[in-house]
Amino acid sequence: QVQLVESGGGLVQAGGSLRLSCAASGRTFRNYAMAWFRQAPGKEREFVSAINLNGINTYYADSVKGRFTISRDNGKSMVTLQMDSLKPQDTAVYYCAARNWIYSTYESAYDYWGQGTQVTVSS
């Protein structure tokens, strides 16, 4: 069991940067693979990035690869998403998610979700 709370969303100009954070509570944070998903108005929720248990392996959607960086600090029970070179197409609600042991790019594979944080990129 893990509880997730996202923060760090906001309004930025195209080409700017933003850092999202996901704070986790629970006794077994190190047992969970973590991921970020996003959902724009009128669109399906899509995979953005994931990170494995020890933070060594990371995974990115093609749309954000080279611009976003995911990381985790198991000692602080925190996951971050550093977003650089932001585009208006990145505008969405971003969600932090967790599942046991192994990462996935599928929304249905994740058991725990944060409430989401809004990211808006102006052109």
Side-chain angles (χ1 to χ4, degrees):
Q1 180 78 283
V2 62
Q3 293 77 47
L4 308 173
V5 179
E6 304 97 334
S7 62
L11 174 64
V12 298
Q13 295 277 80
S17 297
L18 202 62
R19 180 178 293 158
L20 305 183
S21 297
C22 176
S25 62
R27 297 180 181 272
T28 57
F29 179 73
R30 287 177 289 184
N31 291 343
Y32 294 90
M34 305 295 297
W36 289 94
F37 288 77
R38 67 186 182 186
Q39 186 169 24
K43 296 184 178 180
E44 298 293 324
R45 190 171 297 185
E46 64 175 343
F47 171 78
V48 176
S49 183
I51 189 165
N52 74 343
L53 304 184
N54 57 19
I56 294 175
N57 299 111
T58 57
Y59 310 88
Y60 299 93
D62 289 342
S63 60
V64 306
K65 196 170 186 177
R67 299 188 297 119
F68 291 9
T69 303
I70 190 172
S71 62
R72 71 188 294 165
D73 185 335
N74 288 344
K76 297 181 179 179
S77 298
M78 184 172 65
V79 177
T80 63
L81 184 69
Q82 177 66 43
M83 305 184 294
D84 298 317
S85 300
L86 283 163
K87 305 174 181 179
Q89 295 85 350
D90 296 317
T91 296
V93 177
Y94 284 70
Y95 297 90
C96 179
R99 72 184 305 268
N100 194 238
W101 299 116
I102 303 174
Y103 91 100
S104 175
T105 60
Y106 295 99
E107 177 184 0
S108 61
Y110 288 83
D111 301 305
Y112 307 104
W113 294 84
Q115 82 287 352
T117 185
Q118 177 71 48
V119 172
T120 303
V121 184
S122 62
S123 60

